[in-house]
Amino acid sequence: MLEINRLSVAYGNHLALKDVTLAMKSHETYCLVGESGSGKTTLLKAITGLLGEGGRYIEGEVVFEGKELISLPQPELRKLRGAAIATVHQQAGSAMDPIMKVGKQFHEALSVRAKISRRESDRLAQECMKTLALKEPERILKSYPGMLSGGTIQRVALAMAMAMNPTLILADEPTSALDVTVQVEVVGTLKKLQENCSAAMLLVTHNIGVVARMADKIGVMLDGRLIESGSKAQVLSSPAHPYTHMLINSVLNKKGRLPMGPTIYHEEKTQGCSFYNRCPLGCGLCRETLPQTREIGSDHRVMCRLAGEKYAQ
Ligand SMILES: Nc1ncnc2c1ncn2[C@@H]1O[C@H](COP(=O)(O)OP(=O)(O)OP(=O)(O)O)[C@@H](O)[C@H]1O
């Protein structure tokens, strides 16, 4: 249902996505992981044509339900964004109008897809909120966003995505701006959404626990490239790329980066693999040339010539 083929995107002279190829099937949840700045958000924005000022497509294509989106006229793209593709942001509250009650915002969002009465949109909104176990949906609909907690707003945004009846949900770190206890609730809502909505989901998260709970497939991003992809079992249980291995076994620092550890001994920035200067395996060839992506299992792909070799943590 979604195919991204050899996509490269730049902000000014900086290549934020480099030759990314990824495919998703209907109803599948694909989790994108990677350090801060690796290109996850850019990939979501590139799908819906919302790169913003300074962002431009260099090459590649984004095919959604048979339509190439990069070349699609803006009005058609806008229509897709309001209907077949729903987006949930890290801080959904900031995407909402602070001076419009939640019920009206549901109505406006749903009206993009088809003509709908306020009464019907209220009914649908309440039904979705109940399905996702939100308490007091009537009160929520009559509230302004600022009257609701951050966790409730995130859960309302998930209910809004569900009410749109999309075929694809793009969720960018929907839990990461929340306190840990609230995150647990929102992940529960995300899980309910996955179970009750037949949409495919492309979910960006730093949280490996969320990945373990939600993913069918996982894609790992490093410096704008997809360096490993495969099923949840393949990537979490048998990570092949040393970077994936470290991501799974480390806690990212406050900047969302891997902590510098004793295995990091190369100094130079390189033309080859972006992980070379931090890799415990890296050889001279890794520094000189970019490895090819190769298939090491059914649908398990990795961009590392030394993948799978044993190394000490
Ligand atoms: N609007 C922009 N203008 C210039 N550079 C940008 C812009 N947005 C992103 N970038 C750059 O593109 C690269 C990828 O950024 P992106 O936000 O996609 O990463 P990310 O993996 O989503 O990070 P995070 O986890 O911190 O959200 C980074 O180097 C970032 O600085």
Side-chain angles (χ1 to χ4, degrees):
M1 64 105 58
L2 178 71
E3 266 183 45
I4 296 171
N5 295 320
R6 309 210 63 172
L7 183 66
S8 295
V9 161
Y11 290 105
N13 293 327
H14 174 66
L15 269 180
L17 290 182
K18 301 169 187 165
D19 204 15
V20 172
T21 293
L22 173 161
M24 275 179 75
K25 294 190 186 122
S26 307
H27 319 300
E28 192 168 77
T29 298
Y30 192 113
C31 286
L32 267 185
V33 296
E35 289 178 294
S36 186
S38 57
K40 306 178 299 293
T41 299
T42 303
L43 185 56
L44 293 201
K45 288 181 177 173
I47 292 169
T48 48
L50 291 175
L51 287 176
E53 232 174 274
R56 68 200 154 97
Y57 296 96
I58 304 296
E59 61 178 356
E61 54 177 19
V62 175
V63 183
F64 172 66
E65 294 182 333
K67 278 188 188 155
E68 204 294 302
L69 300 191
I70 297 175
S71 55
L72 209 63
Q74 277 301 323
E76 270 193 67
L77 204 51
R78 245 194 315 275
K79 213 164 177 195
L80 269 184
R81 283 200 295 264
I85 303 178
T87 303
V88 181
H89 299 279
Q90 185 173 6
Q91 283 173 311
S94 55
M96 287 186 189
D97 185 339
I99 56 167
M100 193 189 284
K101 286 184 179 167
V102 171
K104 186 149 192 243
Q105 302 205 39
F106 257 98
H107 183 241
E108 294 213 336
L110 294 174
S111 298
V112 174
R113 189 171 186 126
K115 204 162 181 270
I116 183 169
S117 68
R118 176 63 192 270
R119 201 174 180 182
E120 179 58 13
S121 83
D122 278 2
R123 191 201 59 74
L124 190 58
Q126 288 189 35
E127 187 185 300
C128 291
M129 284 194 267
K130 280 182 191 157
T131 306
L132 299 185
L134 267 93
K135 292 194 182 108
E136 303 184 276
E138 298 89 343
R139 182 185 65 80
I140 290 174
L141 289 184
K142 288 182 189 145
S143 305
Y144 292 98
M147 294 160 73
L148 305 171
S149 69
T152 303
I153 288 277
Q154 289 303 110
R155 299 173 73 208
V156 165
L158 296 174
M160 214 179 258
M162 182 178 181
M164 282 167 58
N165 195 22
T167 45
L168 175 64
I169 297 173
L170 304 176
D172 193 358
E173 297 269 10
T175 63
S176 67
L178 305 166
D179 291 343
V180 175
T181 45
V182 185
Q183 280 189 22
V184 173
E185 264 179 45
V186 178
V187 175
T189 308
L190 205 55
K191 190 72 196 163
K192 281 203 170 69
L193 175 66
Q194 184 188 47
E195 287 162 0
N196 289 283
C197 179
S198 57
M201 197 185 301
L202 185 53
L203 171 63
V204 168
T205 178
H206 278 123
N207 188 326
I208 297 298
V210 173
V211 176
R213 192 144 177 223
M214 298 291 302
D216 296 310
K217 286 214 183 122
I218 301 173
V220 184
M221 297 211 54
L222 166 69
D223 191 26
R225 296 185 194 279
L226 192 71
I227 56 90
E228 182 161 0
S229 61
S231 68
K232 175 164 72 180
Q234 285 166 333
V235 177
L236 286 192
S237 309
S238 316
H241 199 293
Y243 169 75
T244 311
H245 204 281
M246 285 191 190
L247 267 185
I248 292 170
N249 292 295
S250 316
V251 176
L252 296 180
N253 64 24
K254 282 189 180 145
K255 290 183 175 163
R257 309 271 300 171
L258 282 170
M260 301 292 270
T263 51
I264 295 153
Y265 52 82
H266 304 296
E267 294 285 308
E268 327 157 43
K269 189 79 184 156
T270 139
Q271 294 294 319
C273 173
S274 304
F275 198 55
Y276 168 77
N277 60 346
R278 297 188 285 163
C279 183
L281 295 177
C283 65
L285 207 52
C286 305
R287 183 165 61 92
E288 304 300 335
T289 54
L290 196 65
Q292 300 281 321
T293 298
R294 59 196 173 95
E295 187 145 351
I296 54 167
S298 163
D299 235 9
H300 187 185
R301 294 188 178 82
V302 64
M303 187 190 254
C304 173
R305 57 176 60 82
L306 301 168
E309 291 202 8
K310 293 256 178 282
Y311 63 93
Q313 271 277 58

